Amino acid sequence: MKKTHIKTELPGPKARALLARDALVDSPSYPRDYPFVMSHGKGAEVWDVDGNRFLDFAAGIAVCSTGHSHPTVVQAIKDAADRFLHISSDYWHEGQVRLAERLNELSPVGVPAMSFFAQSGTESVEAALKLARYVTGRGRFIGFLGGFHGRTMGSLAFTSSKYTQQKGFFPAMPGVTHVPYPNNYRPLFDGADQGRAVLRYIEDVLFVHNVPAGEVAAILVEPIQGEGGYLVPPDGFLSGLRALCDRHGILLIFDEVQSGIGRTGKMFAAQHWGVAPDIVTLAKGLGSGMPIGMMVAKRSIMQKWARGAHGNTFGGNPLCCAAALATLDLVEREYCANAAKVGDYFMKKLRVLAQRHSVIGEIRGKGLMIGMELVTDQASKAPAKKLCDALITRAYHHGLILLSCGQSTVRFMPPLMIGEAQVDEAVGLLEDALIDALAGDRVSMGRGAAAG
């Protein structure tokens, strides 16, 4: 049974008033899709300032892993705030040390690990790049087309999910060469195994004609590509990258900023394939909404850089560490398994939906990191970008918060505590929005876009 209710025209009067104020003082650079103005949230439900209830299947871009304002996380933050709000990384505190110990125990790199603390995903990636250059003495890197790693100048050099992210900012950090991310749905190379084809391209083409393997410090890759379309690589691709890196003395960096911390039904997405990197970057779901990032590396690597080589004023903030420790406990104890179980249920529901609508080309993902590819027709698999944009906006008008990725993929990344009943509700709202978008209902969409 649908519980979502929209009491006012969207955006409502309070939302429109706030949007008007915002237009005068906030940067216009934020990539906002529709005018949702949040008042408060609980679990997977959020309310706007006009009292309208929505299901949140974006979770702050996969950030609110335990749901909005989980009482355990909120209490941990309150307790930490009572003690002290900040101490710089020039000193020590229990929460930071304990969080580093927890990451070592979770073994994202397969051997004893050490952590560097930051406030975001892009800072975690920057730290990984600096560490790789420092310990290898090499200056080149390999990244993947469709990847998203952040917007600061080092991570931006790897980001290629949309050209608008780099437009106007050239030159970024030099030395990055991009190769295709394997996509069996839309293959670029001959052969059934696109993962193997990409590996051959790196080894037999790139390293032969353009990039000396001995000058490559690291390969940076998302185990499941996020902004590029929620692409799940073919089996054998990550292990092949691991072997390639080992042959050439190249460090392997996994960006798990979006895919990590239980999102895919395992603590780290790479664990689905049993592959361990040399360095892993984390953020988003790590703090349930608090701004924290971590770069975790093999101890043997992290120990190589010297005192003062890198630092961070706010890294290891006590409130953020407290939130992360509470989050990890909840995810490890309950929500990782829930993501696997409910994610499987969700995928089945979406595949049934795809049987009723030929514009749904592929359902892919793991756990609660799920993509629904929209196409103009099944034969050509041509991306249906306009339909995807319309669906995202129509979903908002039906009471469902969604975001897109890739060229025409609707991505589902709800809080990891989501239940099957809320999935049922969301799928019903999704189908209503899809029917509207297919019918070309642009009336309320136009109002929302103009108001935003």
Side-chain angles (χ1 to χ4, degrees), residues 39-115:
S39 165
H40 61 284
K42 189 72 173 176
E45 299 173 290
V46 293
W47 286 262
D48 73 6
V49 290
D50 292 286
N52 298 302
R53 172 189 174 269
F54 299 77
L55 275 181
D56 184 4
F57 272 52
I61 318 182
V63 167
C64 301
S65 51
T66 59
H68 291 281
S69 299
H70 193 291
T72 301
V73 178
V74 170
Q75 190 59 55
I77 295 168
K78 289 179 176 178
D79 291 345
D82 283 339
R83 293 189 290 270
F84 58 102
L85 297 179
H86 171 72
I87 186 71
S88 79
S89 54
D90 291 335
Y91 305 101
W92 293 260
H93 67 88
E94 171 64 29
Q96 182 173 353
V97 174
R98 181 60 193 132
L99 182 53
E101 289 174 337
R102 287 286 281 119
L103 264 297
N104 180 48
E105 292 162 5
L106 291 169
S107 193
V109 294
V111 295
M114 301 181 81
S115 294

Side-chain angles (χ1 to χ4, degrees), residues 28-364:
S29 64
Y30 297 111
R32 290 161 167 167
D33 290 323
Y34 47 83
F36 172 68
V37 180
M38 186 167 171
S39 165
H40 61 284
K42 189 72 173 176
E45 299 173 290
V46 293
W47 286 262
D48 73 6
V49 290
D50 292 286
N52 298 302
R53 172 189 174 269
F54 299 77
L55 275 181
D56 184 4
F57 272 52
I61 318 182
V63 167
C64 301
S65 51
T66 59
H68 291 281
S69 299
H70 193 291
T72 301
V73 178
V74 170
Q75 190 59 55
I77 295 168
K78 289 179 176 178
D79 291 345
D82 283 339
R83 293 189 290 270
F84 58 102
L85 297 179
H86 171 72
I87 186 71
S88 79
S89 54
D90 291 335
Y91 305 101
W92 293 260
H93 67 88
E94 171 64 29
Q96 182 173 353
V97 174
R98 181 60 193 132
L99 182 53
E101 289 174 337
R102 287 286 281 119
L103 264 297
N104 180 48
E105 292 162 5
L106 291 169
S107 193
V109 294
V111 295
M114 301 181 81
S115 294
F116 178 88
F117 288 79
Q119 299 129 76
S120 65
T122 192
E123 286 188 343
S124 301
V125 170
E126 295 282 350
L129 301 179
K130 290 182 72 174
L131 178 62
R133 273 189 171 176
Y134 190 96
V135 302
T136 64
R138 301 176 178 185
R140 294 180 184 258
F141 292 88
I142 294 173
F144 289 83
L145 295 172
F148 184 93
H149 301 282
R151 296 177 185 269
T152 50
M153 296 306 277
S155 59
L156 180 65
F158 291 84
T159 292
S160 61
S161 55
K162 296 181 179 70
Y163 77 85
T164 52
Q165 293 152 348
Q166 288 217 18
K167 184 179 181 182
F169 300 111
F170 184 84
M173 185 187 82
V176 179
T177 300
H178 288 84
V179 300
Y181 193 91
N183 183 349
N184 282 345
Y185 186 66
R186 290 201 182 93
L188 290 177
F189 297 102
D190 290 334
D193 190 336
Q194 291 297 292
R196 182 174 296 179
V198 170
L199 293 169
R200 282 202 307 267
Y201 174 78
I202 296 172
E203 189 81 73
D204 299 339
V205 179
L206 194 66
F207 286 169
V208 171
H209 297 286
N210 183 242
V211 176
E215 293 183 4
V216 177
I219 294 178
L220 173 62
V221 65
E222 297 163 277
I224 296 177
Q225 196 171 79
E227 299 286 333
Y230 271 34
L231 300 178
V232 180
D235 291 341
F237 174 64
L238 295 181
S239 60
L241 271 183
R242 176 73 276 175
L244 183 150
C245 287
D246 290 343
R247 281 196 301 274
H248 297 286
I250 298 169
L251 297 178
L252 181 58
I253 305 172
F254 283 169
D255 183 336
E256 294 245 23
V257 168
Q258 187 163 174
S259 63
I261 316 301
R263 171 58 50 191
T264 68
K266 292 186 181 292
M267 186 60 74
F268 308 104
Q271 292 174 334
H272 287 282
W273 295 278
V275 181
D278 299 296
I279 304 171
V280 64
T281 61
L282 304 169
K284 288 192 182 293
L286 178 60
S288 291
M290 295 295 284
I292 184 170
M294 296 179 73
M295 182 270 286
V296 184
K298 292 178 177 178
R299 186 180 297 164
S300 59
I301 295 173
M302 189 83 84
Q303 284 179 324
K304 290 182 179 179
W305 62 359
R307 176 179 178 269
H310 195 37
N312 190 301
T313 299
F314 289 100
N317 173 269
L319 276 64
C320 295
C321 287
L325 285 165
T327 298
L328 288 174
D329 287 345
L330 289 165
V331 171
E332 189 173 28
R333 184 171 66 241
E334 180 179 0
Y335 294 149
C336 195
N338 187 69
K341 174 178 175 289
V342 178
D344 182 62
Y345 178 82
F346 196 179
M347 295 266 281
K348 290 176 181 176
K349 296 285 289 189
L350 290 172
R351 289 192 172 112
V352 171
L353 184 67
Q355 293 172 5
R356 296 197 291 270
H357 299 279
S358 62
V359 294
I360 300 176
E362 185 180 48
I363 305 297
R364 55 181 176 256

Side-chain angles (χ1 to χ4, degrees), residues 373-446:
E373 181 82 31
L374 298 179
V375 296
T376 58
D377 62 271
Q378 294 285 342
S380 72
K381 301 179 182 177
K385 178 171 172 40
K386 289 184 179 179
L387 176 61
C388 184
D389 293 344
L391 173 57
I392 295 296
T393 305
R394 285 307 310 161
Y396 157 69
H397 286 270
H398 280 276
L400 179 62
I401 301 296
L402 294 175
L403 289 171
S404 63
C405 61
Q407 295 184 71
S408 60
T409 300
V410 180
R411 55 174 156 168
F412 305 98
M413 44 186 167
L416 305 185
M417 41 64 62
I418 200 84
E420 292 181 359
Q422 289 171 313
V423 167
D424 290 341
E425 183 184 355
V427 172
L429 296 171
L430 176 69
E431 184 165 26
D432 290 345
L434 179 59
I435 291 169
D436 282 357
L438 287 168
D441 180 359
R442 299 288 191 266
V443 178
S444 56
M445 284 195 299

